[in-house]
Amino acid sequence: MQLTDNKTSPDFALVFRALPGLYLLLSPELRVLDATRLYADASHFKLEDICGKHILDTFANNPEKTDEHGKQNVMASLRFVLANKKPHMMPIVRYDVPLEQGGFERRYWRTSHTPILDPAGNLVYILQEARDVTALVLQEQLNEQNRERLSLLTNTLHAVTWDYDIENNRMSWGVNLQEAFGYSPEEMGQPNTGNTGWLSRVHPDDAAAALESLRQAAEAGHKYWSCEYRFRKANGTYAYVLDQGYFVYNDNNKPVRQVGAMIDLTESKQSEKTLKETNERFWHLLEKQPYMSFMADAKGRITYFNDNWYEYTGISKGQVDGWINAVHPEDSAHVLTAWNEATRYGHAFEQEYRIRNHVDGQYRLFLDRSVPMYDEEGKVKFWIGTMTDIEDQREALTQVQLKEQQFANILNLLPAHLCLLMGPTHTCRYVTPGIYSMYGNRHYLGKPASEIWPETQPIHFTEVFDKVYQQQEPVSFKEVLVPITPSYSGPQKNAYFNIQFQPLLDPNRHIEGVLLSAVEVTALVECKQKAASSGVPD
């Protein structure tokens, strides 16, 4: 295949154009001599349109984005090859390609230039190889954005995130570790490192159970793991923590990574001891909460539904048998199988399925979360669960791409009521199920804050949103009195919340919206008020 005068022979052109890569052949004058078909297809041009042109004249003109930076990088790389007769790899550059229907498609490229010398050492050609790395660049940008948002959320909630690389036995800790527990990541050490690892700080009475729950979750292929235990802080005291993780599996269904968060529950545990509910108050709570709730015995047989279940399904009040008839026929078999497995092995049950509304005959999607309650010997005593209407939330989540799913799973593990309000009108983009405990069965997605919560106008919530959005500074309130309407049709009541308004910034540090997080502290405030009225010192 003879090459002469910077022109390719017909045979060479046939072979060159069929190469399985994105190649461009240039003369020393930087004119295009030939290109592979894959290169032409990827860049959306015809070979005859670029052959003979200077390399810079092949750049399509995108009026919405200047390509001067990309051109400068290309010329710098080519000048290096011409001057040194050595290969050169360019940094990743953005170069958008034109579409047949008009407009441009964003693309990122990793490009190299290789000199081709004759026997005398003279440069006769330059071979350009391009690789489309758009997917990798966009994924990295998304990962960085998710890391920033997760960091923002965990900082707001004072959670300590962790990331365990199972294959390499490496543990990474979030930035709140020092603040929450008094340790630096170096002091925490790595797994299986004797007296410096995580396990060495778990209370001796809780360590075996925590490890066993982890092992069972991994062997059963569960996506989630959750455990409460006591964890020794740097000052020697023990904190009650809720530790929740999300498993990542490889193609062989072997866990390779676990991501999670630790929450200090010490204050909540102390409040539980001070405000331990009587049996009557427990039943009252089940009946008045805004969800459909139920109880089951240790073997999983339903023993109780609250009134919300009967009002929604139309089933005769007090009837607990035949509840599966209210579930969509396409979901019922899967629900029963998963419920029987959960009650058999004693792990938490979480399932999404459709339930029929007897008023209009339509099915709506609900999230069923059920947990076992244990006796003093650690045996399951009964089950308690809630069913939350997530039809609107699921409709929004179906629009989220698959690569964002892991972040969404981690987000749902955080123990707070969250609402993401975007733009200067504070339009709801995302809401966690816990918000329904504050304002019942109303619609959130696509609605501005002023329309979602008209009853908060006297306490000027929308003015706070405006301030946070405009000044980009967080605002928080402790034990603020808020009017709420928790049930579907019940009256308004007052509750106390710790509320945080956090500005949400994009990767360019421009304001996107405001993240509202709310943690109810009504029981704690009432306890303080009761103690104050009775003269009991704090």
Side-chain angles (χ1 to χ4, degrees):
M1 293 182 288
Q2 186 177 4
L3 308 177
T4 59
D5 299 328
N6 297 126
K7 295 181 180 179
T8 60
S9 68
D11 287 343
F12 177 84
L14 288 174
V15 175
F16 182 79
R17 293 178 182 181
L19 290 177
L22 278 61
Y23 297 104
L24 199 68
L25 190 65
L26 303 174
S27 71
E29 296 77 29
L30 307 183
R31 295 192 177 277
V32 177
L33 300 177
D34 213 337
T36 60
R37 293 188 182 89
L38 288 177
Y39 194 111
D41 292 342
S43 300
H44 297 176
F45 62 74
K46 296 180 180 179
L47 293 175
E48 57 268 24
D49 291 340
I50 67 165
C51 286
K53 290 184 177 181
H54 190 276
I55 181 65
L56 293 186
D57 294 333
T58 64
F59 281 69
N61 183 27
N62 183 358
E64 297 181 0
K65 175 189 175 296
T66 176
D67 291 315
E68 288 306 315
H69 181 67
K71 292 179 180 180
Q72 292 171 3
N73 283 330
V74 169
M75 288 306 299
S77 177
L78 289 170
R79 290 192 187 102
F80 175 89
V81 174
L82 288 170
N84 299 280
K85 298 180 182 180
K86 294 181 180 180
H88 184 265
M89 175 71 73
M90 290 175 52
I92 294 176
V93 296
R94 175 182 169 183
Y95 169 56
D96 298 345
V97 298
L99 300 174
E100 292 182 0
Q101 63 272 28
F104 285 78
E105 180 180 1
R106 177 183 294 192
R107 294 286 188 87
Y108 292 89
W109 306 88
R110 185 185 297 277
T111 305
S112 65
H113 293 109
T114 303
I116 300 176
L117 309 178
D118 63 13
N122 299 314
L123 187 146
V124 291
Y125 300 103
I126 297 177
L127 183 66
Q128 181 190 90
E129 180 183 9
R131 296 184 181 180
D132 187 345
V133 294
T134 304
L136 293 176
V137 172
L138 294 181
Q139 180 62 51
E140 182 56 34
Q141 291 176 352
L142 177 63
N143 290 343
E144 180 62 27
Q145 184 177 8
N146 284 344
R147 283 192 291 268
E148 289 184 3
R149 290 186 174 182
L150 181 59
S151 176
L152 171 64
L153 290 171
T154 54
N155 288 338
T156 300
L157 301 172
H158 303 291
V160 178
T161 58
W162 50 265
D163 189 334
Y164 179 34
D165 182 350
I166 299 175
E167 290 186 317
N168 298 308
N169 197 37
R170 298 290 300 176
M171 177 73 84
S172 300
W173 293 93
V175 295
N176 286 337
L177 178 63
Q178 183 85 42
E179 179 184 354
F181 301 116
Y183 298 113
S184 67
E186 293 75 20
E187 289 174 321
M188 283 295 293
Q190 294 298 324
N192 305 324
T193 54
N195 295 327
T196 61
W198 160 80
L199 186 60
S200 68
R201 294 175 171 85
V202 179
H203 194 286
D205 293 343
D206 301 339
L211 279 180
E212 180 63 15
S213 67
L214 258 176
R215 185 191 66 79
Q216 290 182 1
E219 289 185 355
H222 295 158
K223 291 182 179 180
Y224 303 102
W225 167 76
S226 179
C227 183
E228 289 188 24
Y229 55 85
R230 287 163 289 178
F231 185 76
R232 189 177 72 251
K233 302 169 69 172
N235 61 10
T237 64
Y238 279 92
Y240 285 91
V241 300
L242 171 64
D243 204 347
Q244 297 179 302
Y246 173 78
F247 283 101
V248 178
Y249 295 87
N250 61 16
D251 295 338
N252 298 320
N253 203 32
K254 179 182 178 182
V256 295
R257 186 182 178 200
Q258 193 179 15
V259 182
M262 291 173 61
I263 309 297
D264 189 343
L265 299 179
T266 304
E267 184 175 343
S268 298
K269 288 291 183 181
Q270 292 172 344
S271 297
E272 287 177 12
K273 293 179 181 178
T274 305
L275 301 172
K276 188 175 182 180
E277 302 289 346
T278 62
N279 188 51
E280 293 78 11
R281 187 172 181 180
F282 170 75
W283 287 103
H284 179 78
L285 175 64
L286 281 181
E287 200 57 54
K288 296 302 180 182
Q289 64 178 314
Y291 314 99
M292 296 191 296
S293 59
F294 65 94
M295 293 182 63
D297 63 19
K299 295 184 177 180
R301 292 187 293 263
I302 303 297
T303 58
Y304 161 85
F305 284 110
N306 70 352
D307 283 346
N308 288 335
W309 164 265
Y310 296 113
E311 291 174 4
Y312 183 87
T313 63
I315 295 176
S316 300
K317 189 171 182 178
Q319 180 181 337
V320 294
D321 296 326
W323 62 271
I324 195 64
N325 293 326
V327 177
H328 196 287
E330 295 178 0
D331 300 341
S332 57
H334 186 64
V335 170
L336 286 176
T337 301
W339 175 243
N340 290 334
E341 179 185 6
T343 54
R344 178 182 178 185
Y345 294 104
H347 60 72
F349 174 82
E350 181 169 312
Q351 198 77 25
E352 295 178 7
Y353 54 89
R354 291 163 288 180
I355 303 177
R356 183 178 181 273
N357 187 331
H358 80 99
V359 176
D360 57 12
Q362 299 296 313
Y363 287 90
R364 290 183 64 86
L365 189 65
F366 281 76
L367 173 63
D368 184 341
R369 282 189 173 129
S370 310
V371 293
M373 307 300 290
Y374 300 95
D375 60 19
E376 292 78 8
E377 298 178 357
K379 297 180 180 180
V380 176
K381 188 175 182 180
F382 59 91
W383 291 77
I384 183 168
T386 60
M387 303 172 187
T388 306
D389 187 335
I390 60 169
E391 182 72 23
D392 293 339
Q393 181 183 358
R394 174 55 57 193
E395 183 177 351
L397 287 177
T398 56
Q399 301 175 16
V400 179
Q401 298 184 12
L402 181 61
K403 52 193 173 184
E404 294 183 285
Q405 191 59 54
Q406 181 177 340
F407 173 70
N409 289 332
I410 297 173
L411 182 63
N412 287 333
L413 292 174
L414 299 175
H417 307 329
L418 303 175
C419 185
L420 184 60
L421 301 162
M422 303 298 288
T425 59
H426 316 305
T427 300
C428 181
R429 180 71 59 80
Y430 177 82
V431 61
T432 57
I435 293 292
Y436 290 93
S437 67
M438 298 171 63
Y439 292 103
N441 190 30
R442 63 178 64 177
H443 295 289
Y444 295 87
L445 298 179
K447 305 287 186 182
S450 58
E451 183 177 337
I452 296 173
W453 301 300
E455 57 269 82
T456 63
Q457 291 302 319
I459 55 178
H460 307 295
F461 262 28
T462 53
E463 294 180 12
V464 177
F465 286 130
D466 291 337
K467 178 181 178 182
V468 174
Y469 188 87
Q470 294 166 5
Q471 299 182 7
Q472 300 181 23
E473 293 292 337
V475 173
S476 61
F477 298 96
K478 292 289 187 179
E479 300 177 2
V480 61
L481 181 64
V482 178
I484 65 174
T485 51
S487 64
Y488 290 135
S489 58
Q492 185 181 95
K493 71 172 188 175
N494 290 329
Y496 293 89
F497 290 86
N498 288 344
I499 301 177
Q500 177 94 8
F501 301 85
Q502 187 80 21
L504 187 66
L505 306 180
D506 65 15
N508 296 320
R509 314 305 296 174
H510 296 148
I511 187 70
E512 280 189 316
V514 177
L515 176 69
L516 167 67
S517 64
V519 178
E520 185 171 0
V521 292
T522 303
L524 183 61
V525 172
E526 291 177 349
C527 177
K528 291 180 179 179
Q529 293 173 346
K530 182 177 180 181
S533 64
S534 61
V536 177
D538 293 338

